Amino acid sequence: MADIRDAKVPDLGGSSEVPVIELLVAVGDRVRKDQGLVTLESDKATMEVPAPFAGIVREITVKLGDVLSEGHIVARIEVEDAAASQAVAVAASVPVVAPAALAVPPAIAMPASVTESSADVDPEALPPRAPPIVFSAESLLPEKLPYASPAVRVFARELGVDLLKVAGSGRGGRIAKEDVQAFVKTAMVEGLPMVASASAGDGLSLIPWPKVDFAKFGPVETQPLSRIQKLSGQNLARNWAMIPHVTQFDEADITEMEAFRKQLGEESPDTKLTPLVFLLKAAVAALRAFPKFNASLDGDQLVLKRYFHIGIAVDTPDGLVVPVIRDCDQKGLLDLARELGVISKKAREKKLGPADMQGGCFSISSLGGIGGTAFTPIINAPEVAILGVSRSSTKPVWNGHDFAARLLLPLSLSYDHRVIDGADAARFVRYLSTMLGDLRRLLL
Ligand code: CAO
């Protein structure tokens, strides 16, 4: 005979008479244990009443707008397996409790391991439980809980997404998995932060930023950060924290390249032809030869790009911006030189639009005009590598017979170690150096 049991509203953490705003299942639906049956919404939070066991919904005993309290029957479910049937009496009567200090309806957000409390239950009667998951008090406050199913919460947590930043497209603003995916895509394209600030307790668990009254130690002046500094700072901090960076260093012999550059410069005096333009061409060749560097991570997938848009870090009085030169593979040196001139000017005059900074595959940050021997650039996510360029200098290089004076260009390639191995990085930057060392190879 069919074993039909009641699914009841669990302990609501102090709330009562909470209206039903959504029916999540229909009669005949097969439900998993802990799957949401109906959604309740109090003035403080939304919460799902979970199925206490797996089975088939035989009756829904509430309708939209009904007000429910603890113990109210929301559905009758035909129990599917014997084990669940045994646990039913326990599960249906056990209050679902949050960690003691928090008066939070925990059915809202917590995975099964947390919602299976054993307050009044013989521990022997329950299956072994997973270790408890520790949440920060801050992130569990009812008003901080966004409206999403536990599965969507787990999905968001895996992607490092703060659900409070995601707009739900479902009824009553309910956040679906697709909303999280769309949010991640937009955040990637627009370079927006996906996680709450560290102080909110999500993501990295860091100690608070030190608060120091510097004026106690001497005279100070306070200046607000520019909008660009604030935006790029957020992106840099996220990329630095989330991407396992490694930097590979090398030197390219650009003695012949420089002679050619000077010659071209004399022939085209109106076009500023810096080493960076040659680097753009050599980078395209290296990206072609090593497609993993022209890629982005999308969950478990690597998206390999068949276009060659390269971002150039430009230093402006208001901070760092990275405009993108599109289709570098289809442009000649002089065209690239002119375009570089145009975008750097646009950047310094604050005339870049969002479209000018989107779609990059790989970035180059050149400090060669200023100086230095090496640095470790931060990857411009969702790209997986960035090339840092320092100032070339003449050095004695052993050619097998004697030391020859050669012009060497220091290169620093930072790469995402989740995607790129050290050996590939060494090969990539060697390849790049070979191209710069003998530009004829770019024609091959
Ligand atoms: N070695 C030696 N000389 C170099 C060189 C190098 N690697 N790179 C450039 N130079 C020379 C140029 O040939 C030019 O010489 P002339 O004045 O004789 O023509 C001079 O240095 C100045 O070059 P530039 O910096 O104006 O031009 P560029 O094409 O090299 O760079 C741009 C353009 C926009 C990238 C650069 O101006 C810039 O903003 N760089 C800073 C990027 C940055 O801040 N990166 C850090 C990011 S991490 O915080």
Side-chain angles (χ1 to χ4, degrees):
M1 205 182 84
D3 182 6
I4 296 174
R5 305 272 176 153
D6 296 338
K8 295 180 185 172
V9 176
D11 176 359
L12 293 174
S15 299
S16 61
E17 303 200 334
V18 184
V20 178
I21 61 155
E22 196 175 14
L23 302 179
L24 301 171
V25 292
V27 171
D29 281 358
R30 174 167 272 116
V31 290
R32 296 181 313 278
K33 182 175 182 307
D34 291 327
Q35 183 175 336
L37 299 172
V38 302
T39 306
L40 311 180
E41 189 172 57
S42 73
D43 53 354
K44 286 194 177 152
T46 57
M47 60 208 87
E48 284 175 13
V49 175
F53 42 83
I56 296 168
V57 178
R58 291 299 175 207
E59 190 184 352
I60 295 173
T61 53
V62 293
K63 57 185 188 314
L64 292 179
D66 283 356
V67 287
L68 312 183
S69 302
E70 183 185 352
H72 203 118
I73 299 169
V74 297
R76 293 204 165 83
I77 298 175
E78 185 179 332
V79 182
E80 277 225 300
D81 63 68
S85 151
Q86 299 256 312
V88 151
V90 171
S93 63
V94 171
V96 183
V97 294
L102 302 163
V104 179
I108 300 166
M110 298 181 198
S113 57
V114 174
T115 54
E116 286 169 8
S117 168
S118 57
D120 300 312
V121 183
D122 174 9
E124 307 272 322
L126 289 171
R129 276 187 285 143
I133 294 176
V134 180
F135 293 89
S136 77
E138 182 75 357
S139 67
L140 278 175
L141 292 174
E143 64 274 20
K144 306 228 164 176
L145 289 168
Y147 178 18
S149 72
V152 169
R153 288 169 196 288
V154 170
F155 178 63
R157 203 175 316 133
E158 279 169 3
L159 293 179
V161 171
D162 174 12
L163 277 180
L164 286 167
K165 292 182 185 293
V166 181
S169 61
R171 187 141 38 105
R174 190 166 207 264
I175 301 168
K177 192 176 173 189
E178 290 69 28
D179 296 324
V180 179
Q181 284 166 330
F183 173 80
V184 170
K185 276 192 188 139
T186 309
M188 291 291 197
V189 172
E190 296 182 8
L192 300 170
M194 294 198 298
V195 293
S197 65
S199 61
D202 269 347
L204 296 177
S205 175
L206 302 174
I207 57 168
W209 196 255
K211 268 247 172 246
V212 178
D213 178 8
F214 300 104
K216 275 200 319 204
F217 306 106
V220 294
E221 180 198 325
T222 306
Q223 288 181 351
L225 289 179
S226 69
R227 200 179 63 84
I228 290 178
Q229 281 174 316
K230 281 193 257 179
L231 273 175
S232 67
Q234 285 177 342
N235 283 304
L236 290 165
R238 179 203 55 201
N239 299 348
W240 183 247
M242 291 180 70
I243 301 174
H245 281 72
V246 181
T247 306
Q248 172 74 19
F249 302 101
D250 208 333
E251 285 178 321
D253 184 335
I254 58 164
T255 315
E256 273 83 35
M257 187 197 96
E258 271 300 273
F260 179 52
R261 184 178 75 87
K262 292 219 165 88
Q263 187 191 326
L264 263 187
E266 281 164 19
E267 289 169 17
S268 318
D270 297 338
T271 309
K272 186 175 167 187
L273 200 66
T274 61
L276 188 50
V277 179
F278 293 79
L279 278 151
L280 282 167
K281 273 317 230 189
V284 168
L287 292 172
R288 257 196 226 288
F290 299 88
K292 259 207 266 179
F293 288 75
N294 192 10
S296 288
L297 269 179
D298 182 5
D300 290 342
Q301 313 267 1
L302 195 61
V303 181
L304 297 157
K305 296 156 200 170
R306 304 283 183 235
Y307 49 85
F308 299 88
H309 304 338
I310 298 184
I312 300 292
V314 178
D315 173 40
T316 78
D318 288 322
L320 183 70
V321 287
V322 188
V324 174
I325 302 186
R326 286 173 200 280
D327 301 314
C328 293
D329 55 321
Q330 294 165 32
K331 293 174 183 164
L333 285 171
L334 292 173
D335 283 340
L336 288 172
R338 281 189 277 270
E339 205 168 322
L340 180 61
V342 171
I343 57 157
S344 336
K345 185 162 177 283
K346 230 173 147 183
R348 289 182 176 130
E349 290 172 356
K350 301 189 200 172
K351 290 190 177 149
L352 290 175
D356 293 317
M357 291 182 275
Q358 288 171 1
C361 306
F362 178 81
S363 295
I364 302 182
S365 175
S366 175
L367 293 172
I370 302 169
T373 55
F375 64 107
T376 54
I378 298 178
I379 296 163
N380 188 17
E383 296 163 20
V384 294
I386 179 169
L387 182 71
V389 185
S390 299
R391 192 167 187 78
S392 59
S393 61
T394 303
K395 291 182 181 174
V397 176
W398 182 250
N399 63 14
H401 320 284
D402 43 30
F403 282 102
R406 306 295 296 176
L407 186 64
L408 299 184
L409 180 70
L411 302 173
S412 311
L413 177 83
S414 293
Y415 58 92
D416 183 336
H417 210 343
R418 293 172 301 178
V419 177
I420 294 161
D421 294 331
D424 283 340
R427 286 187 197 106
F428 180 93
V429 81
R430 256 306 68 221
Y431 186 90
L432 194 64
S433 302
T434 308
M435 294 295 123
L436 294 169
D438 184 354
L439 295 175
R440 292 170 307 176
R441 291 180 183 280
L442 289 174
L443 300 171
L444 294 175

